[in-house]
């Protein structure tokens, strides 16, 4: 673990204690496929601890701890698979408004985000990811009309405010904010492997005020995605660390052939290899988060490094978690399957490991 | 069979399959995955196919005719398999009874046992489950505790089994039971238990794929007729080891098969100007897998031919099982990667049936390296038996 400041260490201890006491895996099970797909009471507690304002400036009621601070919380949430719209709202939403919003937009949204009063979702991906953005903003008498389909949109069901990417009349990519309850916004829930909040959103002639546009377009979007990826990588690292520790415990309790299965070298070596991957992943994740906070030039490269390592490491450990638990690891009752499914979802979100290897290659000039 | 008679069999098979295999089942054998889909028997076409195959005796093609087989030799069986594979057909009898118990009974069963049980297996009408594993006895199967006591005119069985696939749908169970507590392997017997016997209870356990064919099985003072013992008392471990070989053998079959991933890869990731898959990284890995699957299939064919010629191949079975589960698991991972976020669907709407089936198969595929003896156990057996490597001694470091 990086050397933390006193404030960061406090944040970590608080998050870790809260997760253990208030949001164990049983809470994640209860939230999965429930009507809201997250627990609003827990969400309120998270807001109460100030986590929604980690990226919000102090002037707007936040703590301004930066991405490193956010990553610390997100890692702890990853341990027990806490389902909440925190990443969408407090990281991506707050960053979008802070970096691309006018003074008015900031004053309007940031305090409410920090207080946990609004949930934000990023509606960017489309059905054919490589075909570019097809959603359109058409100029009308006052402002634009928005048409298009976004899928999958994480935390869409919970969202009050959507940040949507679309092409304007000049073909430039823009990000605009859209009220999730506006007329013409159609939200169809998706039931995915992890049972969390995700949906397809159809926009049919939704009126968008020009003042709802964010500054920055494609560049801002890429930056927001990088923030999301880095924080998700931190979460994945927490998930992987917990999956590993649970497995390690099992190696130290399950007996076959009159001995602990952890005494078999075939398993010992693989356990050590997993720990080694976790060590490398941590270095990459921490470096990526710090690079974003510092505005470093190689931030994107580090983000791709982190997301690729987190994806590979988490999937490896989740596979081993199932394998080393034997039959019980294949049952719905056991947690291994939850980690295994969540691993696939997080890896596929905002580019899986293969995508980030290609991106790293491009950025590094290969 | 040779030359002309094989050609005739091939022509017959081709014609018969075209007329009798329900096209709705092509390339989707519902049995291996047993996911959310209704149990295969709920499917009218599947039942039709099973009954036609039973009548044709091609469900147990190598078994003697008196037991419902067609008495074909290995070459003939291979021709049948090839013709079925060509059109995406499958052998509906390939379930626990046929792949594991049948060949074991042919070797160890009494005449009466064979006559009683084999025809039901060959026709797919009688379903079997395997009652081996217990909560404390998985990899270390021989530590099993289910007690079996000789009551003079019957056996009395008392204990608990777990991970019993299909127990909730089975008519019969072949189980390992303890008839002597003073020794480990040599206190085990092999027993056939009618699932309708009083005292047999099953409780389904849901798998991570959503499937509910997995069970706990409780045996509470179950009376079993004396003649249901296979082999002699306390000699069941030898029977079980033979059965496990058949199980591994069947588990390494067909793992390298499946339609090429190239069309879906083209569809999902596109091609560059040279017609190559546009993602170089994924292309390399897809090809790497395709080549391994190819080599694996060639290996299956080669070992099959060697076995037919009487060469010793049994010691390769553990390695083949691991190669096979590896190839199949890697394929499932690649399919998921190709599907991207489209592969993350658990239930509709918003996902196609194929997409959701891919996810279920990917989940189910994790079991390949656990059941039938785990990956690690196969490697232990191969290291010891095939390579002659010694057991470790405590080294204290
Ligand atoms: C889908 C599915 C279907 C099944 N169907 C049946 C069935 O129909 N009937 C039946 O009887 N059983 C069935 N099983 C049970 C299966 O055979 C056992 O799960 C398997 O033998 C492993 O036992 P276990 O689950 O107790 O794991 P354990 O034996 O506890 O193993 C836990 C881990 O330790 C490893 N390990 C254990 N010993 C060693 C060693 N010496 N060296 C290195 N590693 C070791 C294992 O490989 C595994 O990774 C099924 C299992 C699954 C998953």
């Amino acid at each position: 673990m990086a050397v933390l400041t006193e404030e960061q260490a406090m944040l970590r201890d608080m998050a870790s204690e809260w997760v253990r006491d208030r949001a164990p895996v049983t809470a994640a099970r209860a939230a999965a496929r429930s009507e809201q797909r997250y627990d609003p009471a827990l969400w309120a507690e998270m807001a109460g601890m100030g986590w929604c304002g980690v990226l919000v400036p102090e002037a707007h009621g936040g703590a301004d701890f930066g991405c490193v601070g956010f990553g610390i919380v997100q890692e702890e949430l990853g341990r027990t698979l806490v389902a909440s719209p925190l990443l969408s709202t407090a990281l991506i939403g707050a960053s979008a408004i802070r970096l691309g919003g006018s003074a008015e937009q900031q004053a309007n949204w940031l305090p409410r985000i920090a207080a946990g009063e609004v949930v934000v979702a990023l509606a960017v991906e489309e059905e054919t990811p490589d075909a570019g953005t097809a959603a359109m903003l058409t100029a009308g008498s006052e402002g634009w009309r928005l048409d298009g389909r976004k899928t999958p949109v994480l935390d869409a069901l919970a969202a009050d405010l959507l940040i949507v990417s679309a092409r304007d009349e000049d073909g430039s990519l823009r990000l605009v904010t859209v009220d999730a309850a506006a007329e013409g916004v159609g939200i169809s829930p998706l039931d995915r492997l992890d049972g969390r909040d995700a949906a397809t959103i159809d926009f049919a002639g939704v009126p968008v005020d020009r003042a709802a546009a964010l500054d920055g377009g494609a560049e801002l979007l890429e930056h927001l995605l990088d923030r999301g990826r880095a924080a998700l990588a931190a979460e994945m690292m927490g998930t992987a660390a917990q999956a590993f520790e649970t497995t390690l415990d099992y190696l130290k309790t399950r007996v076959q052939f009159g001995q602990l299965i952890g005494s078999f070298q075939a398993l010992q070596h693989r356990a050590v290899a997993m720990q080694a991957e976790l060590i490398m992943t941590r270095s990459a994740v921490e470096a990526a988060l710090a690079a974003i906070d510092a505005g470093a030039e190689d931030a994107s490269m580090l983000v791709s490094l982190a997301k690729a390592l987190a994806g590979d490491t988490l999937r490896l450990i989740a596979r081993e978690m199932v394998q080393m638990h034997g039959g019980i690891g294949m049952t719905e009752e056991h947690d291994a399957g939850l980690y295994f499914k969540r691993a696939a979802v997080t890896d596929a979100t905002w580019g899986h490991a293969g995508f980030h290897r290609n991106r790293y290659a491009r950025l590094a000039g290969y | 069979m040779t030359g002309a008679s094989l050609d005739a069999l091939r022509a017959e098979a081709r014609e018969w399959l075209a007329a009798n295999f329900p096209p709705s089942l092509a390339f989707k054998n519902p049995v291996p995955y047993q996911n959310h889909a209704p149990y295969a028997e709920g499917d009218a076409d599947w039942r039709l196919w099973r009954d036609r195959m039973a009548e044709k005796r091609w469900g147990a093609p190598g078994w003697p005719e008196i037991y419902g087989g067609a008495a074909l030799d290995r070459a003939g069986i291979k021709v049948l398999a090839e013709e079925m594979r060509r059109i995406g057909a499958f052998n509906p009898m390939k379930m626990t009874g046929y792949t594991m118990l049948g060949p074991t009974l042919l070797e160890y069963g009494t005449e009466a046992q064979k006559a009683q049980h084999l025809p039901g297996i060959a026709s797919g009408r009688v379903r079997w489950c395997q009652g081996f594993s217990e909560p404390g006895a998985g990899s270390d199967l021989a530590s099993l505790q289910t007690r079996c006591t000789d009551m003079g005119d019957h056996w009395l069985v008392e204990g608990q089994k777990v991970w019993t696939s299909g127990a909730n749908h089975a008519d019969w169970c072949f189980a390992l039971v303890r008839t002597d507590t003073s020794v480990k392997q040599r206190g085990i017997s092999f027993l056939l238990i009618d699932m309708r016997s009083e005292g047999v209870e099953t409780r389904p356990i849901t798998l991570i794929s959503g499937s509910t064919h997995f069970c706990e099985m409780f045996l509470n003072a179950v009376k079993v007729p004396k003649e249901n013992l296979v082999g002699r008392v306390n000699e069941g471990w030898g029977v079980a080891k033979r059965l496990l070989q058949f199980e591994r053998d069947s588990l390494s079959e067909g793992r390298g098969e499946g339609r090429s991933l190239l069309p879906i890869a083209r569809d999902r990731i596109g091609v560059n100007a040279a017609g190559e898959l546009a993602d170089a990284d994924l292309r390399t890995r897809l090809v790497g897998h395709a080549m391994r699957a190819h080599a694996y299939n060639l290996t299956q064919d080669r070992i099959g031919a060697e076995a037919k010629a009487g060469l010793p191949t049994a010691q390769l079975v553990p390695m083949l099982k691991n190669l096979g589960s590896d190839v199949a698991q890697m394929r499932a991972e690649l399919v998921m990667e190709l599907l991207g976020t489209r592969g993350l669907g658990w239930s509709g709407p918003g996902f196609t049936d194929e997409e959701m089936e891919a996810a279920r198969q990917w989940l189910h595929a994790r079991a390949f390296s656990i059941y039938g003896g785990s990956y690690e156990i196969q490697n232990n057996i191969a290291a010891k038996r095939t390579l002659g490597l010694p057991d470790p001694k405590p080294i204290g470091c």
Side-chain angles (χ1 to χ4, degrees):
Chain A
M1 183 138 345
V3 185
L4 300 182
T5 65
E6 203 174 312
E7 275 172 333
Q8 289 167 341
M10 274 173 57
L11 186 60
R12 187 202 50 208
D13 293 345
M14 174 168 75
S16 138
E17 200 174 310
W18 182 81
V19 162
R20 203 178 47 237
D21 296 346
R22 303 288 303 149
V25 181
T26 45
R29 274 186 192 274
R33 294 192 180 86
S34 66
E35 198 181 331
Q36 284 171 295
R37 305 196 187 182
Y38 72 102
D39 182 342
L42 290 182
W43 172 242
E45 289 182 26
M46 293 164 82
M49 290 180 291
W51 296 349
C52 296
V54 169
L55 269 299
V56 173
E58 287 172 14
H60 288 300
D64 208 1
F65 273 179
C67 289
V68 170
F70 190 82
I72 287 170
V73 175
Q74 199 65 27
E75 177 185 342
E76 296 303 325
L77 299 181
R79 281 188 162 266
T80 57
L81 309 174
V82 180
S84 86
L86 188 71
L87 202 160
S88 293
T89 304
L91 180 77
I92 296 182
S95 298
I97 303 289
R98 183 174 179 176
L99 300 172
S102 62
E104 242 175 278
Q105 284 172 311
Q106 297 196 17
N108 184 22
W109 294 113
L110 290 178
R112 287 151 74 194
I113 289 178
E117 290 164 12
V118 274
V119 169
V120 187
L122 181 68
V124 165
E125 284 177 84
E126 298 189 0
E127 252 156 3
T128 44
D130 300 329
T133 302
M136 294 282 295
L137 287 162
T138 320
S141 47
E142 306 156 51
W144 291 293
R145 290 165 50 88
L146 172 65
D147 291 280
R149 163 176 281 199
K150 297 291 179 182
T151 189
V153 180
L154 307 183
D155 302 314
L157 306 181
D160 306 293
L161 183 71
L162 304 172
I163 295 171
V164 188
S165 61
R167 305 227 163 252
D168 66 11
E169 50 275 62
D170 305 328
S172 316
L173 191 84
R174 281 184 183 272
L175 292 179
V176 294
T177 60
V178 174
D179 182 344
E183 205 167 317
V185 176
I187 301 183
S188 321
L190 292 172
D191 179 16
R192 308 203 302 171
L193 292 173
D194 61 356
R196 294 211 197 174
D197 183 350
T200 297
I201 305 188
D202 286 299
F203 299 92
V206 181
V208 178
D209 196 294
R210 287 196 183 254
L214 298 172
D215 264 352
E219 210 174 305
L220 175 61
L221 174 58
E222 200 53 30
H223 184 70
L224 292 177
L225 284 175
D226 267 350
R227 288 188 166 210
R229 288 160 176 154
L232 186 59
E235 179 186 328
M236 293 161 81
M237 182 170 72
T239 305
Q242 185 58 56
F244 176 68
E245 287 164 28
T246 303
T247 306
L248 204 57
D249 279 347
Y250 195 66
L251 296 183
K252 293 174 184 175
T253 43
R254 171 71 172 168
V255 171
Q256 285 289 274
F257 303 100
Q259 52 199 310
L260 294 169
I261 59 172
S263 67
F264 300 126
Q265 287 191 338
L267 302 188
Q268 288 179 347
H269 288 192
R270 274 153 51 198
V272 173
M274 285 190 260
Q275 173 75 314
E277 292 307 312
L278 277 172
I279 290 171
M280 299 247 285
T281 302
R282 178 171 296 285
S283 311
V285 169
E286 289 180 354
L289 290 164
I292 292 173
D293 282 340
E297 241 171 58
D298 60 353
S300 290
M301 219 170 102
L302 286 166
V303 165
S304 278
L305 181 71
K307 183 70 170 50
L309 259 71
D312 285 341
T313 300
L314 175 54
R315 295 190 67 160
L316 166 78
I317 291 177
R319 279 196 304 271
E320 291 284 37
M321 184 182 199
V322 174
Q323 180 67 24
M324 292 188 182
H325 279 81
I328 197 150
M330 286 297 293
T331 65
E332 177 60 32
E333 242 171 284
H334 194 268
D335 289 343
L338 300 184
Y339 284 82
F340 186 67
K341 291 173 189 172
R342 180 66 185 160
V345 175
T346 51
D347 183 43
T349 300
W350 302 322
H352 53 48
F355 170 92
H356 286 288
R357 270 194 298 276
N358 279 325
R359 184 167 179 256
Y360 183 97
R362 234 176 9 257
L363 294 169
Y366 279 82
Chain B
M1 280 177 139
T2 48
S5 60
L6 274 184
D7 289 346
L9 177 67
R10 190 181 296 281
E12 181 194 354
R14 200 167 284 196
E15 190 183 336
W16 186 84
L17 286 169
N20 289 284
F21 178 61
S24 69
L25 300 176
F27 294 102
K28 42 175 179 246
N29 179 3
V31 177
Y33 298 106
Q34 295 170 336
N35 290 333
H36 256 22
Y39 199 68
E41 299 215 339
D43 185 307
D45 276 352
W46 189 89
R47 287 196 307 270
L48 182 70
W49 175 230
R50 177 198 59 193
D51 294 344
R52 284 177 175 168
M53 281 288 275
E55 204 187 331
K56 189 73 184 162
R57 298 167 169 273
W58 281 354
W63 292 8
E65 292 183 354
I66 43 162
Y67 304 133
L72 292 178
D73 65 6
R74 266 179 177 273
I77 294 170
K78 184 158 174 258
V79 162
L80 274 192
E82 283 166 3
E83 286 306 311
M84 286 203 274
R85 198 184 304 170
R86 213 176 48 85
I87 58 162
F90 54 87
N91 182 351
M93 306 328 162
K94 263 201 186 172
M95 295 181 286
T96 308
Y98 173 67
T99 56
M100 302 185 213
L101 182 65
T104 309
L105 278 187
L106 281 168
E107 281 184 24
Y108 290 90
T110 61
E111 211 32 68
Q113 286 168 342
K114 289 192 264 189
Q116 182 186 357
H117 296 299
L118 292 179
I121 294 173
S123 67
R125 288 302 184 119
V126 179
R127 287 160 305 188
W128 285 82
C129 65
Q130 176 189 31
F132 281 16
S133 306
E134 297 180 4
S139 296
D140 184 12
L141 183 58
S143 65
L144 60 97
Q145 299 295 332
T146 294
R147 286 286 287 135
C148 176
T149 315
D150 188 345
M151 304 301 282
D153 61 344
H154 66 270
W155 300 106
L156 191 70
V157 182
E158 184 81 41
Q160 189 198 339
K161 296 291 175 181
V162 75
W163 321 137
T164 323
S165 298
N168 48 348
H169 301 284
D171 305 300
W172 279 81
C173 173
F174 52 90
L176 292 182
V177 292
R178 181 153 299 288
T179 33
D180 185 344
T181 50
S182 66
V183 279
K184 198 172 172 180
Q185 279 85 353
R186 276 179 299 157
I188 293 173
S189 299
F190 191 109
L191 201 59
L192 307 178
I193 302 175
D194 186 334
M195 292 295 281
R196 283 163 312 188
S197 316
E198 208 174 311
V200 177
E201 254 178 74
T202 63
R203 187 179 75 88
I205 304 172
T206 306
L207 283 175
I208 60 175
S209 61
S211 155
T212 53
H213 76 286
F214 211 45
C215 292
E216 274 181 299
M217 180 164 80
F218 302 93
L219 301 158
N220 302 316
V222 178
K223 284 186 185 171
V224 179
K226 281 308 254 292
E227 63 269 22
N228 287 14
L229 198 76
V230 178
R232 267 181 282 185
V233 179
N234 294 332
E235 290 182 9
W237 187 245
V239 184
K241 281 210 305 203
R242 188 71 182 120
L243 181 137
L244 289 171
Q245 267 179 6
F246 291 126
E247 179 177 15
R248 279 163 205 156
D249 227 352
S250 78
L251 289 178
S252 58
E253 267 172 37
R255 289 285 195 233
E257 288 169 24
R259 279 188 281 186
S260 165
L261 297 179
L262 191 54
I264 95 160
R266 282 215 179 95
D267 183 49
R268 298 280 170 171
I269 58 187
V271 292
N272 64 20
E276 298 162 344
L277 290 177
D279 181 330
D281 170 51
L282 196 47
R283 178 172 185 257
T284 308
R285 287 180 295 125
L286 279 168
V287 174
H289 175 263
M291 291 172 74
R292 265 185 96 66
H294 191 168
Y296 177 73
N297 288 335
L298 292 173
T299 304
Q300 284 281 0
D301 289 349
R302 179 171 69 80
I303 306 291
E306 289 181 11
K308 183 190 157 206
L311 296 171
T313 55
Q315 88 274 18
L316 300 178
V317 169
M319 275 174 279
L320 286 180
K321 197 225 162 201
N322 279 356
L323 285 168
S325 57
D326 231 37
V327 164
Q329 289 174 336
M330 183 54 69
R331 178 188 161 94
E333 293 276 340
L334 284 167
V335 172
M336 286 294 277
E337 190 172 337
L338 281 172
L339 292 179
T341 55
R342 307 264 355 140
L344 303 177
W346 180 250
S347 72
F351 300 98
T352 67
D353 286 349
E354 285 75 24
E355 287 165 348
M356 289 186 285
E357 182 61 16
R360 307 275 174 151
Q361 290 188 9
W362 164 75
L363 290 164
H364 183 77
R366 293 326 305 174
F368 297 166
S369 51
I370 296 173
Y371 62 48
S374 72
Y375 183 87
E376 292 75 19
I377 293 303
Q378 305 297 340
N379 276 345
N380 285 346
I381 296 172
K384 220 158 122 176
R385 300 271 141 72
T386 316
L387 305 182
L389 291 168
D391 269 333
K393 293 231 159 51
I395 49 174
C397 86

